[in-house]
Short mmCIF file of all heavy atoms in Angstrom, two decimals:
data_model
loop_
_atom_site.label_atom_id
_atom_site.label_comp_id
_atom_site.label_asym_id
_atom_site.label_seq_id
_atom_site.Cartn_x
_atom_site.Cartn_y
_atom_site.Cartn_z
N LYS A 322 -23.71 84.34 -25.25
CA LYS A 322 -23.98 82.96 -25.61
C LYS A 322 -25.46 82.79 -26.05
O LYS A 322 -25.79 81.97 -26.92
CB LYS A 322 -23.66 82.00 -24.46
CG LYS A 322 -22.21 81.91 -24.13
CD LYS A 322 -21.96 81.04 -22.90
CE LYS A 322 -20.50 80.97 -22.52
NZ LYS A 322 -20.24 80.11 -21.35
N GLU A 323 -26.36 83.50 -25.40
CA GLU A 323 -27.79 83.44 -25.81
C GLU A 323 -27.95 83.89 -27.26
O GLU A 323 -28.77 83.29 -28.00
CB GLU A 323 -28.59 84.33 -24.85
CG GLU A 323 -30.09 84.22 -25.14
CD GLU A 323 -30.93 85.04 -24.17
OE1 GLU A 323 -30.36 85.48 -23.12
OE2 GLU A 323 -32.10 85.32 -24.47
N GLY A 324 -27.20 84.95 -27.67
CA GLY A 324 -27.33 85.43 -29.05
C GLY A 324 -26.76 84.37 -30.02
O GLY A 324 -27.33 84.15 -31.11
N LEU A 325 -25.64 83.75 -29.65
CA LEU A 325 -25.07 82.67 -30.46
C LEU A 325 -26.04 81.48 -30.56
O LEU A 325 -26.22 80.89 -31.66
CB LEU A 325 -23.75 82.20 -29.93
CG LEU A 325 -23.02 81.06 -30.68
CD1 LEU A 325 -22.81 81.34 -32.10
CD2 LEU A 325 -21.66 80.71 -29.98
N LYS A 326 -26.66 81.11 -29.47
CA LYS A 326 -27.59 80.00 -29.50
C LYS A 326 -28.80 80.33 -30.42
O LYS A 326 -29.27 79.42 -31.13
CB LYS A 326 -28.13 79.72 -28.08
CG LYS A 326 -29.02 78.44 -27.97
CD LYS A 326 -29.50 78.20 -26.57
CE LYS A 326 -30.26 76.89 -26.54
NZ LYS A 326 -31.41 76.87 -27.48
N ASN A 327 -29.18 81.56 -30.43
CA ASN A 327 -30.30 81.95 -31.24
C ASN A 327 -29.87 81.74 -32.75
O ASN A 327 -30.71 81.33 -33.60
CB ASN A 327 -30.73 83.44 -31.02
CG ASN A 327 -31.91 83.82 -31.83
OD1 ASN A 327 -32.94 83.11 -31.88
ND2 ASN A 327 -31.86 84.98 -32.45
N CYS A 328 -28.64 82.09 -33.08
CA CYS A 328 -28.12 81.89 -34.43
C CYS A 328 -28.09 80.40 -34.77
O CYS A 328 -28.44 79.99 -35.88
CB CYS A 328 -26.71 82.52 -34.58
SG CYS A 328 -26.63 84.30 -34.47
N VAL A 329 -27.66 79.60 -33.84
CA VAL A 329 -27.60 78.14 -34.03
C VAL A 329 -29.07 77.63 -34.29
O VAL A 329 -29.26 76.86 -35.25
CB VAL A 329 -26.97 77.41 -32.85
CG1 VAL A 329 -27.17 75.91 -32.96
CG2 VAL A 329 -25.55 77.78 -32.64
N ASP A 330 -29.99 78.09 -33.50
CA ASP A 330 -31.35 77.57 -33.66
C ASP A 330 -31.88 77.95 -35.06
O ASP A 330 -32.58 77.15 -35.73
CB ASP A 330 -32.24 78.18 -32.61
CG ASP A 330 -31.93 77.64 -31.20
OD1 ASP A 330 -31.26 76.60 -31.10
OD2 ASP A 330 -32.34 78.30 -30.22
N LYS A 331 -31.56 79.14 -35.55
CA LYS A 331 -32.03 79.56 -36.89
C LYS A 331 -31.37 78.69 -37.98
O LYS A 331 -32.06 78.32 -38.96
CB LYS A 331 -31.74 81.06 -37.13
CG LYS A 331 -32.58 82.01 -36.30
CD LYS A 331 -32.26 83.42 -36.66
CE LYS A 331 -33.25 84.41 -36.00
NZ LYS A 331 -33.04 85.79 -36.41
N ALA A 332 -30.11 78.43 -37.81
CA ALA A 332 -29.38 77.61 -38.76
C ALA A 332 -29.97 76.22 -38.82
O ALA A 332 -30.21 75.62 -39.89
CB ALA A 332 -27.89 77.58 -38.45
N HIS A 333 -30.20 75.60 -37.64
CA HIS A 333 -30.77 74.28 -37.58
C HIS A 333 -32.15 74.23 -38.19
O HIS A 333 -32.53 73.25 -38.84
CB HIS A 333 -30.82 73.80 -36.13
CG HIS A 333 -29.43 73.51 -35.56
ND1 HIS A 333 -29.23 73.13 -34.26
CD2 HIS A 333 -28.15 73.50 -36.17
CE1 HIS A 333 -27.89 72.93 -34.04
NE2 HIS A 333 -27.27 73.15 -35.20
N ALA A 334 -32.89 75.29 -37.98
CA ALA A 334 -34.27 75.31 -38.58
C ALA A 334 -34.18 75.35 -40.04
O ALA A 334 -35.11 74.88 -40.75
CB ALA A 334 -35.02 76.53 -38.06
N ALA A 335 -33.10 75.85 -40.61
CA ALA A 335 -32.86 75.97 -42.06
C ALA A 335 -32.22 74.65 -42.59
O ALA A 335 -31.85 74.61 -43.79
CB ALA A 335 -32.08 77.19 -42.37
N GLY A 336 -31.93 73.71 -41.73
CA GLY A 336 -31.26 72.50 -42.14
C GLY A 336 -29.79 72.60 -42.23
O GLY A 336 -29.14 71.79 -42.93
N LEU A 337 -29.17 73.62 -41.56
CA LEU A 337 -27.75 73.83 -41.67
C LEU A 337 -27.04 73.52 -40.30
O LEU A 337 -27.63 73.63 -39.28
CB LEU A 337 -27.40 75.24 -42.03
CG LEU A 337 -27.90 75.79 -43.34
CD1 LEU A 337 -27.65 77.26 -43.50
CD2 LEU A 337 -27.31 75.02 -44.52
N TYR A 338 -25.75 73.16 -40.41
CA TYR A 338 -24.87 73.15 -39.26
C TYR A 338 -24.35 74.58 -39.06
O TYR A 338 -24.25 75.37 -40.02
CB TYR A 338 -23.76 72.16 -39.45
CG TYR A 338 -24.15 70.74 -39.35
CD1 TYR A 338 -24.78 70.09 -40.39
CD2 TYR A 338 -23.96 70.05 -38.20
CE1 TYR A 338 -25.22 68.76 -40.31
CE2 TYR A 338 -24.42 68.68 -38.05
CZ TYR A 338 -24.97 68.10 -39.15
OH TYR A 338 -25.41 66.80 -39.05
N LEU A 339 -24.01 74.92 -37.83
CA LEU A 339 -23.41 76.24 -37.56
C LEU A 339 -22.08 76.04 -36.83
O LEU A 339 -22.03 75.32 -35.83
CB LEU A 339 -24.36 77.09 -36.72
CG LEU A 339 -23.98 78.60 -36.85
CD1 LEU A 339 -24.53 79.13 -38.19
CD2 LEU A 339 -24.59 79.35 -35.72
N GLY A 340 -20.98 76.67 -37.32
CA GLY A 340 -19.68 76.44 -36.82
C GLY A 340 -19.01 77.65 -36.29
O GLY A 340 -19.45 78.76 -36.48
N MET A 341 -17.84 77.41 -35.69
CA MET A 341 -17.03 78.49 -35.12
C MET A 341 -15.54 78.08 -35.25
O MET A 341 -15.20 76.88 -35.14
CB MET A 341 -17.36 78.79 -33.67
CG MET A 341 -17.15 77.62 -32.75
SD MET A 341 -17.67 78.00 -31.06
CE MET A 341 -17.13 76.53 -30.14
N HIS A 342 -14.71 79.08 -35.57
CA HIS A 342 -13.29 78.84 -35.81
C HIS A 342 -12.41 79.21 -34.60
O HIS A 342 -12.66 80.28 -34.03
CB HIS A 342 -12.85 79.64 -37.02
CG HIS A 342 -11.47 79.26 -37.53
ND1 HIS A 342 -11.23 78.04 -38.10
CD2 HIS A 342 -10.27 79.86 -37.49
CE1 HIS A 342 -9.94 77.97 -38.42
NE2 HIS A 342 -9.35 79.08 -38.09
N THR A 343 -11.51 78.38 -34.26
CA THR A 343 -10.55 78.67 -33.21
C THR A 343 -9.14 78.24 -33.64
O THR A 343 -8.99 77.58 -34.68
CB THR A 343 -10.84 77.86 -31.86
OG1 THR A 343 -10.46 76.46 -32.14
CG2 THR A 343 -12.35 77.88 -31.53
N LEU A 344 -8.18 78.62 -32.94
CA LEU A 344 -6.80 78.15 -33.07
C LEU A 344 -6.54 77.22 -31.83
O LEU A 344 -5.56 77.48 -31.05
CB LEU A 344 -5.80 79.22 -33.25
CG LEU A 344 -5.77 79.88 -34.60
CD1 LEU A 344 -4.68 80.92 -34.69
CD2 LEU A 344 -5.64 78.90 -35.73
N THR A 345 -7.36 76.20 -31.69
CA THR A 345 -7.18 75.17 -30.68
C THR A 345 -6.90 75.72 -29.26
O THR A 345 -7.73 76.24 -28.63
CB THR A 345 -6.17 74.11 -31.17
OG1 THR A 345 -6.54 73.70 -32.48
CG2 THR A 345 -6.18 72.92 -30.30
N ASN A 346 -5.61 75.66 -28.89
CA ASN A 346 -5.24 76.07 -27.55
C ASN A 346 -4.38 77.32 -27.53
O ASN A 346 -3.67 77.59 -26.58
CB ASN A 346 -4.62 74.97 -26.69
CG ASN A 346 -3.31 74.54 -27.32
OD1 ASN A 346 -2.96 74.86 -28.39
ND2 ASN A 346 -2.62 73.76 -26.51
N PHE A 347 -4.38 78.10 -28.63
CA PHE A 347 -3.65 79.41 -28.68
C PHE A 347 -4.42 80.31 -27.67
O PHE A 347 -5.63 80.35 -27.66
CB PHE A 347 -3.68 80.00 -30.03
CG PHE A 347 -2.82 79.35 -31.04
CD1 PHE A 347 -2.67 77.98 -31.15
CD2 PHE A 347 -2.11 80.14 -31.96
CE1 PHE A 347 -1.84 77.37 -32.11
CE2 PHE A 347 -1.28 79.52 -32.95
CZ PHE A 347 -1.19 78.15 -33.01
N ILE A 348 -3.64 81.04 -26.90
CA ILE A 348 -4.22 81.97 -25.88
C ILE A 348 -3.85 83.40 -26.14
O ILE A 348 -2.64 83.69 -26.11
CB ILE A 348 -3.84 81.53 -24.46
CG1 ILE A 348 -4.30 80.10 -24.18
CG2 ILE A 348 -4.41 82.50 -23.42
CD1 ILE A 348 -3.82 79.55 -22.86
N ASN A 349 -4.79 84.24 -26.47
CA ASN A 349 -4.55 85.62 -26.72
C ASN A 349 -4.05 86.37 -25.47
O ASN A 349 -4.31 85.98 -24.37
CB ASN A 349 -5.76 86.38 -27.21
CG ASN A 349 -6.23 85.83 -28.57
OD1 ASN A 349 -7.30 85.30 -28.69
ND2 ASN A 349 -5.45 86.00 -29.59
N THR A 350 -3.22 87.39 -25.69
CA THR A 350 -2.70 88.16 -24.55
C THR A 350 -3.79 88.97 -23.80
O THR A 350 -3.48 89.49 -22.75
CB THR A 350 -1.61 89.10 -25.04
OG1 THR A 350 -2.10 89.98 -26.05
CG2 THR A 350 -0.42 88.29 -25.63
N ASN A 351 -4.92 89.15 -24.44
CA ASN A 351 -6.04 89.81 -23.72
C ASN A 351 -6.99 88.87 -23.03
O ASN A 351 -8.08 89.33 -22.56
CB ASN A 351 -6.75 90.76 -24.72
CG ASN A 351 -7.50 89.96 -25.80
OD1 ASN A 351 -7.07 88.92 -26.21
ND2 ASN A 351 -8.63 90.45 -26.27
N ASP A 352 -6.74 87.61 -23.06
CA ASP A 352 -7.60 86.65 -22.46
C ASP A 352 -7.44 86.59 -20.94
O ASP A 352 -6.33 86.83 -20.43
CB ASP A 352 -7.34 85.24 -23.06
CG ASP A 352 -8.34 84.19 -22.62
OD1 ASP A 352 -9.40 84.20 -23.35
OD2 ASP A 352 -8.18 83.42 -21.68
N PRO A 353 -8.49 86.31 -20.21
CA PRO A 353 -8.39 86.16 -18.78
C PRO A 353 -7.32 85.18 -18.22
O PRO A 353 -6.93 85.28 -17.09
CB PRO A 353 -9.80 85.72 -18.36
CG PRO A 353 -10.72 86.28 -19.38
CD PRO A 353 -9.91 86.21 -20.64
N TYR A 354 -6.88 84.25 -19.08
CA TYR A 354 -5.80 83.40 -18.65
C TYR A 354 -4.47 84.14 -18.56
O TYR A 354 -3.52 83.66 -18.02
CB TYR A 354 -5.62 82.22 -19.61
CG TYR A 354 -6.58 81.08 -19.43
CD1 TYR A 354 -7.29 80.52 -20.51
CD2 TYR A 354 -6.77 80.51 -18.17
CE1 TYR A 354 -8.18 79.48 -20.37
CE2 TYR A 354 -7.66 79.46 -18.03
CZ TYR A 354 -8.35 78.90 -19.09
OH TYR A 354 -9.19 77.85 -18.90
N VAL A 355 -4.41 85.31 -19.19
CA VAL A 355 -3.17 86.08 -19.21
C VAL A 355 -3.27 87.35 -18.43
O VAL A 355 -2.29 87.71 -17.70
CB VAL A 355 -2.79 86.39 -20.74
CG1 VAL A 355 -1.58 87.32 -20.76
CG2 VAL A 355 -2.55 85.19 -21.51
N THR A 356 -4.32 88.04 -18.49
CA THR A 356 -4.46 89.34 -17.82
C THR A 356 -5.80 89.44 -17.06
O THR A 356 -6.80 88.90 -17.53
CB THR A 356 -4.41 90.45 -18.90
OG1 THR A 356 -4.41 91.75 -18.30
CG2 THR A 356 -5.53 90.38 -19.96
N PRO A 357 -5.84 90.10 -15.96
CA PRO A 357 -4.76 90.87 -15.30
C PRO A 357 -3.86 89.96 -14.48
O PRO A 357 -2.79 90.41 -14.03
CB PRO A 357 -5.48 91.90 -14.45
CG PRO A 357 -6.77 91.19 -14.08
CD PRO A 357 -7.15 90.35 -15.23
N VAL A 358 -4.30 88.76 -14.13
CA VAL A 358 -3.47 87.81 -13.40
C VAL A 358 -3.16 86.60 -14.20
O VAL A 358 -4.10 85.80 -14.55
CB VAL A 358 -4.17 87.38 -12.03
CG1 VAL A 358 -3.23 86.40 -11.30
CG2 VAL A 358 -4.52 88.60 -11.21
N PRO A 359 -1.94 86.35 -14.63
CA PRO A 359 -1.63 85.20 -15.55
C PRO A 359 -1.75 83.91 -14.83
O PRO A 359 -1.38 83.77 -13.64
CB PRO A 359 -0.17 85.49 -15.94
CG PRO A 359 0.41 86.30 -14.84
CD PRO A 359 -0.74 87.16 -14.34
N ASP A 360 -2.33 82.94 -15.46
CA ASP A 360 -2.52 81.61 -14.92
C ASP A 360 -1.20 80.92 -14.68
O ASP A 360 -0.25 81.03 -15.50
CB ASP A 360 -3.43 80.81 -15.86
CG ASP A 360 -3.97 79.61 -15.16
OD1 ASP A 360 -3.22 78.63 -14.89
OD2 ASP A 360 -5.21 79.54 -14.93
N ASN A 361 -1.06 80.26 -13.59
CA ASN A 361 0.19 79.52 -13.27
C ASN A 361 0.45 78.33 -14.14
O ASN A 361 1.51 77.74 -14.10
CB ASN A 361 0.18 79.14 -11.78
CG ASN A 361 0.33 80.28 -10.85
OD1 ASN A 361 0.98 81.29 -11.16
ND2 ASN A 361 -0.29 80.13 -9.65
N ARG A 362 -0.53 78.03 -14.98
CA ARG A 362 -0.42 76.80 -15.82
C ARG A 362 -0.02 77.17 -17.25
O ARG A 362 -0.06 76.32 -18.16
CB ARG A 362 -1.72 76.01 -15.82
CG ARG A 362 -2.04 75.45 -14.43
CD ARG A 362 -3.45 74.89 -14.38
NE ARG A 362 -4.43 75.97 -14.68
CZ ARG A 362 -5.73 75.78 -14.92
NH1 ARG A 362 -6.22 74.54 -14.93
NH2 ARG A 362 -6.55 76.79 -15.13
N LEU A 363 0.33 78.44 -17.52
CA LEU A 363 0.84 78.79 -18.83
C LEU A 363 2.13 77.99 -19.05
O LEU A 363 2.95 77.78 -18.13
CB LEU A 363 1.12 80.29 -18.94
CG LEU A 363 -0.16 81.14 -18.95
CD1 LEU A 363 0.26 82.64 -18.82
CD2 LEU A 363 -0.92 80.96 -20.27
N SER A 364 2.37 77.56 -20.28
CA SER A 364 3.56 76.73 -20.60
C SER A 364 4.82 77.57 -20.67
O SER A 364 4.85 78.65 -21.25
CB SER A 364 3.31 76.03 -21.92
OG SER A 364 4.40 75.21 -22.23
N PHE A 365 5.90 76.97 -20.11
CA PHE A 365 7.25 77.53 -20.17
C PHE A 365 8.10 76.69 -21.10
O PHE A 365 8.07 75.48 -21.11
CB PHE A 365 7.91 77.53 -18.79
CG PHE A 365 7.25 78.42 -17.76
CD1 PHE A 365 7.35 78.05 -16.39
CD2 PHE A 365 6.57 79.57 -18.07
CE1 PHE A 365 6.77 78.85 -15.42
CE2 PHE A 365 6.02 80.34 -17.15
CZ PHE A 365 6.08 80.02 -15.78
N THR A 366 8.94 77.40 -21.86
CA THR A 366 9.95 76.64 -22.64
C THR A 366 11.15 76.29 -21.71
O THR A 366 11.89 75.35 -22.02
CB THR A 366 10.52 77.55 -23.79
OG1 THR A 366 11.14 78.68 -23.25
CG2 THR A 366 9.42 77.92 -24.72
N GLY A 367 11.27 76.97 -20.56
CA GLY A 367 12.32 76.70 -19.59
C GLY A 367 12.24 77.65 -18.45
O GLY A 367 11.52 78.65 -18.52
N VAL A 368 12.97 77.38 -17.38
CA VAL A 368 12.96 78.28 -16.22
C VAL A 368 14.41 78.45 -15.66
O VAL A 368 15.25 77.72 -15.91
CB VAL A 368 12.10 77.69 -15.08
CG1 VAL A 368 10.67 77.52 -15.49
CG2 VAL A 368 12.65 76.27 -14.68
N SER A 369 14.49 79.60 -14.93
CA SER A 369 15.67 79.87 -14.13
C SER A 369 15.14 80.46 -12.87
O SER A 369 14.01 80.41 -12.54
CB SER A 369 16.63 80.83 -14.89
OG SER A 369 17.83 81.01 -14.14
N THR A 370 16.10 81.12 -12.10
CA THR A 370 15.71 81.79 -10.85
C THR A 370 16.38 83.16 -10.75
O THR A 370 17.43 83.39 -11.40
CB THR A 370 16.10 80.96 -9.58
OG1 THR A 370 17.49 80.73 -9.70
CG2 THR A 370 15.35 79.68 -9.52
N LEU A 371 15.69 84.02 -10.04
CA LEU A 371 16.30 85.36 -9.78
C LEU A 371 17.54 85.21 -8.97
O LEU A 371 17.60 84.53 -7.95
CB LEU A 371 15.30 86.26 -9.03
CG LEU A 371 14.12 86.90 -9.85
CD1 LEU A 371 13.27 87.72 -8.90
CD2 LEU A 371 14.73 87.79 -10.94
N ASN A 372 18.56 85.95 -9.37
CA ASN A 372 19.82 85.94 -8.60
C ASN A 372 19.85 87.04 -7.55
O ASN A 372 20.66 86.94 -6.61
CB ASN A 372 21.01 86.10 -9.59
CG ASN A 372 22.26 85.50 -9.03
OD1 ASN A 372 22.22 84.55 -8.22
ND2 ASN A 372 23.41 86.09 -9.36
N ARG A 373 19.03 88.07 -7.78
CA ARG A 373 18.98 89.18 -6.81
C ARG A 373 17.49 89.67 -6.65
O ARG A 373 16.71 89.46 -7.61
CB ARG A 373 19.84 90.34 -7.27
CG ARG A 373 21.35 90.09 -7.37
CD ARG A 373 22.07 91.31 -7.89
NE ARG A 373 23.52 90.98 -8.12
CZ ARG A 373 24.41 91.00 -7.12
NH1 ARG A 373 24.04 91.33 -5.89
NH2 ARG A 373 25.68 90.73 -7.34
N ASN A 374 17.24 90.26 -5.54
CA ASN A 374 15.97 90.90 -5.37
C ASN A 374 15.73 92.01 -6.44
O ASN A 374 16.69 92.64 -6.91
CB ASN A 374 15.83 91.56 -3.98
CG ASN A 374 15.92 90.56 -2.88
OD1 ASN A 374 15.81 89.37 -3.12
ND2 ASN A 374 16.04 91.03 -1.69
N ILE A 375 14.47 92.21 -6.87
CA ILE A 375 14.14 93.36 -7.77
C ILE A 375 12.97 94.06 -7.19
O ILE A 375 12.04 93.47 -6.62
CB ILE A 375 13.94 92.87 -9.19
CG1 ILE A 375 12.76 91.90 -9.31
CG2 ILE A 375 15.20 92.30 -9.83
CD1 ILE A 375 12.34 91.58 -10.70
#
Side-chain angles (χ1 to χ4, degrees):
K322 294 179 182 179
E323 184 179 344
L325 176 57
K326 185 179 187 305
N327 186 48
C328 292
V329 172
D330 292 342
K331 287 184 174 183
H333 288 176
L337 299 175
Y338 287 79
L339 199 78
M341 60 185 188
H342 190 70
T343 73
L344 284 184
T345 307
N346 65 345
F347 287 41
I348 300 176
N349 295 117
T350 57
N351 65 328
D352 191 81
Y354 278 132
V355 174
T356 185
V358 179
D360 197 288
N361 289 329
R362 298 168 297 169
L363 290 170
S364 180
F365 295 151
T366 62
V368 297
S369 184
T370 55
L371 280 179
N372 204 31
R373 298 180 185 275
N374 297 348
I375 59 171

